[in-house]
Amino acid sequence: MKGYGEIILDHWRRPRNKGRLPAPDREAVEANALCGDVVRMQLELEGTRVSAAMFDGQGCAISQAAASLLTERIKGKPVGQLAQLADQEMLSALGELTSTRSSCALLALWALRQALKEDQ
Amino acid sequence: MKGYGEIILDHWRRPRNKGRLPAPDREAVEANALCGDVVRMQLELEGTRVSAAMFDGQGCAISQAAASLLTERIKGKPVGQLAQLADQEMLSALGELTSTRSSCALLALWALRQALKEDQ
Amino acid sequence: MDVHAVRRDFPILGRQQGDNPLVYLDSAATSHKPTAVIEAMAAFYRRSNANVHRALYELAAEATEMYEGARAKVAGLLGASAEEIVFVRGTTEALNLAAYTLGEARVQAGDSIVVTEMEHHANLVPWQQAARRQGARLQAVPITEGGELDFASYERVLSSGAKVVALTHASNLLGTINPVPELSDIAHRAGAVVVVDAAQTVPHMPVSVSELGADMLAFSGHKMLGPTGIGVLWARHELLEELPPYMTGGEMISEVHLDGATWARPPRRFEAGTPPFAQAVGLGAAVDYLSQLGLRDVRAHDVGLVQRMLEGLSCRPYISVYGPLDPSARAGLVSFNLRGVHPHDVATLLDQEGVAIRAGHHCAQPLVRRLGVAATCRASCYVYNTGGEVETLLSALDEAWRILR
Amino acid sequence: MDVHAVRRDFPILGRQQGDNPLVYLDSAATSHKPTAVIEAMAAFYRRSNANVHRALYELAAEATEMYEGARAKVAGLLGASAEEIVFVRGTTEALNLAAYTLGEARVQAGDSIVVTEMEHHANLVPWQQAARRQGARLQAVPITEGGELDFASYERVLSSGAKVVALTHASNLLGTINPVPELSDIAHRAGAVVVVDAAQTVPHMPVSVSELGADMLAFSGHKMLGPTGIGVLWARHELLEELPPYMTGGEMISEVHLDGATWARPPRRFEAGTPPFAQAVGLGAAVDYLSQLGLRDVRAHDVGLVQRMLEGLSCRPYISVYGPLDPSARAGLVSFNLRGVHPHDVATLLDQEGVAIRAGHHCAQPLVRRLGVAATCRASCYVYNTGGEVETLLSALDEAWRILR
Ligand SMILES: Cc1ncc(COP(=O)(O)O)c(C=O)c1O
Ligand SMILES: Cc1ncc(COP(=O)(O)O)c(C=O)c1O
């Protein structure tokens, strides 16, 4: 069995930055009603940079691993740069993935975009 | 062109007993709404026998020829016998006929049956 | 367009009818299918069959891609976007969907719905039902003696406002092509949504929804070289967004509770249950085939044949022709009658020569009544018909006349 | 039934999925098609294609005969008469037709419509809509912990009367087969018409409408080895006679005037427009194929496979199974979950082994919610599945569990 790539399995088994921030500056929840996947993304900002990011949620391995991976990737990054993060980048960061699951893989990114949009 | 059989063409070109009876004992009209064929059958009875039969109507050659042929066939016949006249007899009396047209061929027979049913 | 090369793509044309080759002049009822279409569906069932949407395995992803690919092809044909294409069974379902949903969303008691006297039953009866349900008024614009829409009446009817105008792009009996862009403008100024029955045009000529200017368009796959069981409703996306669903069930919902449900976005909102996905693949192949021929050439071929038919029929004193006399003002069909002869007799006699035409009311009873006849004969052509076949038709008519007059 | 001989009739089973042979366990979503069905339709298009009804030429008479012949075959399968068979697109359209027409004819404001908690959206949402339109009340009978219909609740709900009971013959998620004869009796005593969703049973076991005792029955061609784009509504003829049409247009009318229309008799009243006649021919071939196998044997084969699945799944402590544990109380499918693992992950990992199962809410959101899960995995089988394939499923599940736990 090819299974999921090591990156997905690693983040699924040992999620990074899972939980809640005490005082997030930005926050958004995205859900995929059809599969029941839910992802909450929370950010703390220092100036125009992300100083802390955490996620919370439930659902399939891909959606949760993607959220975990995303929190690692965005820490320390300028907010302006994050707004430009493309779907394709997220997908390739997760390694090989079947097209039927891309909406799971992108859920965290959608939540991030939502969080960045709000009260800007 | 095979065309219609001689029987149909003969009755279509020179319809027998076409018109109205002065004082019919029995009468019925049948129409095929879908093609616009109409046939009226009128009978005069003497005792239990048909003493005169006429038809009137409009429509395709088959429906009109069949009506003409039928008036000839039933004259002098006992009413009880006519009630038993089968679809198949009518169809074969007309000669070779494509199945798509059997409702045209049977319209006069249906009118006859209707006429016999009424006020018996 | 090389008609003889085209004919080789249609296996049914090799059929003998009794002692004669089949001369099929009833494509307005349904068209034949090229091998490419027949094979596309067979290959789908042999290699790629799976229910579309939602499944997570590769085979289903492939089937879904082919289904959505067909939607994109149809959109491309019309110059529309894929999310404006709803797959249905055929023109009839498309128009029922339009009448039901527009009725619910746009028509109130006392409002007016406008149709024409030359509509196919599919674009008349559903509007009668919608008018009945909403307590609205149905008005039918008459035709002229020449078989065209009475423009002045149309303007007059619309001057007092209407919520919907439902009209045919081309009459399946008269052949008349209606000037939809102008008629749409007038309807829009009156505040009406314009629904066009394009069953006889999309298969036969280039149709661009932006040039047409209508809001909804309906047509059938089986009349355009595609399979039965599939058709298309095109509508402007904003309009689809506004409309409630017609059928409900799986795939068209967003969330379902025991006491209520919310809807998916278009086009899925209008595709309840398992769609005819194998037929969509077949329709996609038909669109490819027609596009390769070029719809401009398809139209030119039709016009050439109709011209020969009109000339041949008009010069026979025992024949009356219905509809416009200019072939370029017509779809690829001609209705006619032989003096004093019932059209059914003509059709039966022609069939014995291998010539297949249609005779009857062509699902347009009010129009047939308006013409003052019980029925008409209709010959209709398509990409695989030849000038020689038109000659066969004409001489078979002479023979029928000889027999029956 | 020789499953290896059967497999040779299904070309798609030769497909490789990556490095593995395809193990297709999603027949409850859609079945594959034997060559006999694929070829019946291709041959129809190549030799006999013409629009059915009304045409007077030989080719159309032949097509009409084949279309009506398919109707007779379906009637034979159910022990019904041909005039009780209405061809539609699928189960979903059949149930929409039933809900709309029964709503109009039988349901008034304040009346009650009864469904169950285990309905597919196709047998729930149309009734919600009908209830809304008529101002009626929709009541859903709950299920027991064991996944069966709560009989006592059913009796209680019906004791206060109902106009319609709409229920599934077998749940497409739980597999549960409902005792329709008993349930129909109770419903009839309460004065209700009984509509049965037989999408998961007619393809898989002998179903006789007289033994079932219901008034209407809906199923899809594509789940019974037939093509997409066709399905069946069966109803008692007296009931069909009483109902108004659903869709309107050509072929379903008796007379049309500009201001109104009258209807043809059933079944034509319910078949507006060009029907999916080529698909009917395909469905007829599927009925022939299934009858040759024998539906008793088809059912026995299903039960054997489901037993192996249930045994294999139940003995794995990391798996929960939903629905009845007795294979003979079930349709040919099993829903399950791996502890703490999302079904979508299971389906994706299995797909990589060539095993196609479905994961999701199976168009039964209220039921999934009732089970307290987000979704389930579902493996479903049919005539072409083998015991070996069930073993492949089970070991692929072990592997998925190893990876994901
Ligand atoms: C129980 C049940 N009802 C209804 C349907 C809907 O059938 P279709 O999508 O063919 O209309 C299905 C299949 O998805 C089903 O399993
Ligand atoms: C103008 C027109 N509208 C509607 C229809 C109905 O199409 P269908 O029977 O494919 O639904 C036809 C064809 O019969 C037609 O010619």
Side-chain angles (χ1 to χ4, degrees):
Chain A
M1 190 179 266
K2 226 179 8 178
Y4 284 163
E6 267 318 306
I7 302 169
I8 292 175
L9 288 177
D10 180 39
H11 280 273
W12 163 244
R13 293 188 182 129
R14 293 174 297 111
R16 330 291 202 261
N17 307 312
K18 181 160 184 174
R20 300 283 184 109
L21 286 170
D25 295 304
R26 298 288 171 81
E27 159 164 4
V29 182
E30 281 283 327
N32 189 334
L34 294 181
C35 20
D37 291 342
V38 183
V39 167
R40 173 192 309 271
M41 291 290 291
Q42 296 183 317
L43 309 178
E44 260 172 38
L45 306 183
E46 261 180 43
T48 60
R49 274 176 195 277
V50 175
S51 53
M54 289 193 92
F55 86 98
D56 198 3
Q58 58 189 31
C60 67
I62 297 179
S63 66
Q64 303 305 304
S68 162
L69 182 90
L70 190 62
T71 57
E72 279 196 328
R73 294 258 165 150
I74 63 181
K75 211 179 294 184
K77 292 271 161 64
V79 167
Q81 194 175 321
L82 298 184
Q84 259 130 59
L85 199 61
D87 287 5
Q88 199 42 59
E89 277 178 83
M90 185 77 229
L91 295 174
S92 32
L94 287 165
E96 224 182 289
L97 202 66
T98 143
S99 66
T100 54
R101 302 299 299 283
S102 37
S103 63
C104 308
L106 295 173
L107 196 62
L109 183 59
W110 294 335
L112 174 66
R113 286 184 192 147
Q114 198 55 38
L116 293 174
K117 232 194 276 172
E118 262 152 37
D119 56 66
Q120 260 193 333
Chain B
M1 188 178 264
K2 226 177 5 176
Y4 284 163
E6 267 319 305
I7 302 168
I8 292 175
L9 289 177
D10 181 39
H11 279 273
W12 163 244
R13 292 190 181 128
R14 291 174 298 111
R16 332 288 203 263
N17 307 311
K18 183 162 182 173
R20 301 282 184 110
L21 286 170
D25 296 303
R26 298 290 170 83
E27 158 164 4
V29 182
E30 282 282 326
N32 190 334
L34 294 180
C35 21
D37 291 342
V38 183
V39 167
R40 172 192 309 271
M41 293 290 292
Q42 296 183 316
L43 309 180
E44 262 173 36
L45 306 183
E46 262 180 43
T48 60
R49 276 179 196 275
V50 175
S51 54
M54 291 194 92
F55 86 99
D56 198 4
Q58 58 190 32
C60 67
I62 296 179
S63 67
Q64 303 305 304
S68 163
L69 182 89
L70 191 61
T71 58
E72 280 196 328
R73 294 256 165 153
I74 63 182
K75 213 180 294 184
K77 293 271 160 63
V79 167
Q81 194 175 322
L82 296 185
Q84 260 131 60
L85 199 61
D87 288 4
Q88 199 44 58
E89 277 178 82
M90 185 76 229
L91 293 175
S92 32
L94 287 165
E96 223 183 290
L97 202 66
T98 143
S99 66
T100 54
R101 301 299 298 283
S102 37
S103 63
C104 308
L106 294 172
L107 197 62
L109 183 58
W110 294 335
L112 174 66
R113 286 184 191 147
Q114 199 56 38
L116 293 175
K117 230 194 276 173
E118 262 151 37
D119 56 67
Q120 262 195 331
Chain C
M1 217 185 80
D2 175 356
V3 65
H4 296 286
V6 167
R7 287 178 70 84
R8 283 193 292 276
D9 294 333
F10 291 78
I12 203 169
L13 299 179
R15 182 179 163 125
Q16 287 286 111
Q17 211 48 49
D19 299 334
N20 305 290
L22 172 66
V23 174
Y24 185 75
L25 292 170
D26 195 21
S27 291
T30 199
S31 72
H32 290 312
K33 325 300 171 197
T35 301
V37 168
I38 301 171
E39 252 317 300
M41 289 184 288
F44 176 85
Y45 285 130
R46 280 192 220 108
R47 286 203 296 265
S48 312
N49 178 63
N51 211 330
V52 294
H53 304 313
R54 301 286 175 79
L56 299 168
Y57 51 87
E58 212 27 57
L59 182 64
E62 182 175 319
T64 305
E65 221 163 87
M66 290 172 81
Y67 179 59
E68 295 303 332
R71 198 191 302 277
K73 284 179 191 182
V74 171
L77 181 74
L78 303 174
S81 91
E83 58 189 1
E84 300 180 324
I85 303 298
V86 177
F87 283 127
V88 292
R89 176 168 42 247
T91 309
T92 301
E93 183 181 352
L95 294 169
N96 275 271
L97 195 171
Y100 184 83
T101 58
L102 281 174
E104 294 272 304
R106 291 275 179 111
V107 181
Q108 251 118 58
D111 283 347
S112 170
I113 296 173
V114 175
V115 295
T116 85
E117 221 176 24
M118 61 165 98
E119 297 310 314
H120 187 281
H121 295 162
N123 204 26
L124 171 61
V125 190
W127 299 107
Q128 292 175 345
Q129 298 288 96
R132 189 186 58 70
R133 267 193 305 268
Q134 310 298 331
R137 210 159 39 112
L138 188 73
Q139 292 178 280
V141 178
I143 59 166
T144 64
E145 282 306 308
E148 296 185 333
L149 194 70
D150 183 336
F151 204 83
S153 298
Y154 181 79
E155 287 191 300
R156 195 169 336 110
V157 165
L158 281 175
S159 66
S160 48
K163 287 302 168 70
V164 181
V165 171
L167 66 102
T168 195
H169 195 185
S171 159
N172 67 309
L173 193 154
L174 295 168
T176 318
I177 298 178
N178 284 316
V180 175
E182 290 79 353
L183 299 171
S184 289
D185 272 357
I186 295 169
H188 286 150
R189 280 200 296 271
V193 172
V194 178
V195 180
V196 171
D197 174 353
Q200 295 298 344
T201 51
V202 165
H204 290 270
M205 60 190 73
V207 171
S208 141
V209 289
S210 60
E211 286 170 25
L212 218 53
D215 304 291
M216 284 184 152
L217 194 78
F219 55 98
S220 300
H222 69 95
K223 293 187 204 276
M224 55 188 290
L225 311 183
T228 58
I230 192 159
V232 172
L233 177 71
W234 166 85
R236 295 189 191 286
H237 200 256
E238 319 82 71
L239 183 56
L240 286 179
E241 287 276 13
E242 174 196 335
L243 297 178
Y246 177 49
M247 292 195 205
T248 55
E251 306 303 335
M252 55 68 67
I253 51 89
S254 166
E255 262 194 68
V256 177
H257 294 263
L258 285 173
D259 56 0
T262 55
W263 316 131
R265 300 192 52 198
R268 279 198 13 221
R269 184 185 301 163
F270 304 99
E271 295 184 356
T274 301
F277 53 79
Q279 288 74 41
V281 171
L283 179 57
V287 168
D288 286 344
Y289 187 92
L290 282 170
S291 304
Q292 258 152 41
L293 291 182
L295 277 147
R296 230 165 271 285
D297 289 3
V298 168
R299 172 65 181 155
H301 180 74
D302 270 6
V303 170
L305 292 172
V306 164
Q307 174 147 26
R308 275 177 94 147
M309 273 194 226
L310 282 174
E311 281 168 11
L313 294 169
S314 310
C315 73
R316 284 167 165 78
Y318 64 87
I319 289 180
S320 326
V321 171
Y322 306 100
L325 293 177
D326 173 5
S328 70
R330 285 188 165 262
L333 60 92
V334 183
S335 281
F336 56 91
N337 265 327
L338 276 57
R339 190 183 337 120
V341 176
H342 196 286
H344 287 181
D345 292 323
V346 179
T348 299
L349 290 176
L350 262 54
D351 181 38
Q352 292 175 354
E353 299 279 271
V355 180
I357 64 161
R358 189 149 291 243
H361 56 56
H362 313 290
C363 295
Q365 288 183 1
L367 177 55
V368 167
R369 228 174 271 126
R370 164 73 178 77
L371 298 174
V373 294
T376 76
C377 302
R378 183 186 72 186
S380 56
C381 56
Y382 210 4
V383 291
Y384 35 67
N385 290 120
T386 66
E389 289 182 319
V390 174
E391 297 309 319
T392 305
L393 165 71
L394 294 169
S395 57
L397 287 171
D398 288 337
E399 187 61 12
W401 174 244
R402 197 190 55 72
I403 292 174
L404 288 173
R405 70 168 145 184
Chain D
M1 216 185 80
D2 175 356
V3 63
H4 296 286
V6 166
R7 288 178 69 84
R8 283 193 292 276
D9 293 334
F10 290 80
I12 202 170
L13 298 179
R15 182 179 162 126
Q16 288 285 112
Q17 211 47 49
D19 299 334
N20 304 291
L22 171 66
V23 174
Y24 185 76
L25 292 169
D26 196 20
S27 292
T30 200
S31 72
H32 290 312
K33 325 300 170 199
T35 301
V37 168
I38 300 171
E39 252 317 299
M41 289 183 287
F44 177 84
Y45 286 130
R46 279 192 219 107
R47 287 203 294 265
S48 312
N49 179 63
N51 210 330
V52 295
H53 303 312
R54 303 285 174 80
L56 300 167
Y57 50 87
E58 210 28 56
L59 182 64
E62 181 175 319
T64 305
E65 221 163 87
M66 291 173 81
Y67 179 59
E68 295 303 331
R71 197 191 303 277
K73 285 178 190 183
V74 170
L77 181 75
L78 304 174
S81 92
E83 59 189 2
E84 300 180 324
I85 303 297
V86 177
F87 283 127
V88 292
R89 176 168 44 247
T91 309
T92 301
E93 183 181 352
L95 294 168
N96 275 272
L97 194 171
Y100 184 84
T101 58
L102 281 174
E104 294 272 305
R106 291 274 179 115
V107 181
Q108 252 117 57
D111 283 347
S112 169
I113 296 173
V114 175
V115 295
T116 85
E117 221 175 27
M118 61 167 99
E119 297 310 314
H120 187 282
H121 295 162
N123 204 26
L124 171 60
V125 189
W127 300 107
Q128 292 176 346
Q129 298 288 95
R132 188 185 58 70
R133 266 192 306 268
Q134 309 298 331
R137 211 159 39 112
L138 188 73
Q139 292 177 281
V141 178
I143 59 166
T144 64
E145 282 306 307
E148 295 184 334
L149 194 71
D150 184 336
F151 203 84
S153 298
Y154 180 79
E155 286 190 301
R156 197 170 334 110
V157 165
L158 280 175
S159 66
S160 47
K163 289 301 170 69
V164 180
V165 171
L167 67 101
T168 195
H169 195 184
S171 159
N172 67 309
L173 193 153
L174 295 167
T176 318
I177 297 177
N178 285 315
V180 174
E182 291 79 352
L183 300 172
S184 289
D185 272 357
I186 296 169
H188 286 150
R189 279 200 295 271
V193 172
V194 179
V195 181
V196 170
D197 175 353
Q200 295 297 344
T201 51
V202 165
H204 290 270
M205 59 190 73
V207 171
S208 141
V209 289
S210 60
E211 287 170 26
L212 218 53
D215 305 291
M216 284 184 151
L217 194 79
F219 55 97
S220 300
H222 70 94
K223 294 187 203 276
M224 57 189 289
L225 311 183
T228 58
I230 192 159
V232 172
L233 177 71
W234 166 85
R236 293 187 192 288
H237 200 255
E238 321 81 72
L239 184 56
L240 285 180
E241 287 276 14
E242 173 195 336
L243 298 177
Y246 177 48
M247 292 194 205
T248 54
E251 306 304 333
M252 55 68 68
I253 53 89
S254 167
E255 261 193 68
V256 177
H257 294 263
L258 284 173
D259 57 359
T262 55
W263 316 130
R265 299 192 53 199
R268 278 199 15 222
R269 185 186 302 163
F270 304 99
E271 296 185 354
T274 301
F277 52 79
Q279 288 74 43
V281 171
L283 179 57
V287 168
D288 286 344
Y289 188 93
L290 283 169
S291 305
Q292 258 152 42
L293 291 183
L295 277 146
R296 231 163 271 285
D297 289 2
V298 169
R299 171 66 180 154
H301 181 74
D302 270 5
V303 171
L305 292 172
V306 164
Q307 174 147 27
R308 275 177 94 146
M309 272 194 227
L310 281 174
E311 281 167 11
L313 294 169
S314 311
C315 74
R316 283 165 167 78
Y318 65 88
I319 288 179
S320 327
V321 171
Y322 305 101
L325 293 177
D326 173 5
S328 70
R330 285 188 166 262
L333 59 92
V334 183
S335 281
F336 56 90
N337 265 328
L338 277 57
R339 190 184 336 121
V341 176
H342 196 286
H344 287 182
D345 291 323
V346 179
T348 299
L349 289 177
L350 261 55
D351 181 37
Q352 292 174 355
E353 298 280 270
V355 180
I357 64 161
R358 189 150 291 243
H361 56 58
H362 314 290
C363 295
Q365 288 183 1
L367 177 55
V368 167
R369 228 173 270 126
R370 164 72 177 77
L371 298 174
V373 293
T376 77
C377 302
R378 182 186 73 186
S380 55
C381 55
Y382 209 4
V383 290
Y384 35 68
N385 290 120
T386 67
E389 290 182 319
V390 174
E391 297 310 319
T392 305
L393 165 71
L394 294 169
S395 57
L397 287 171
D398 287 337
E399 187 62 11
W401 174 243
R402 196 189 58 70
I403 292 173
L404 287 174
R405 68 169 149 184

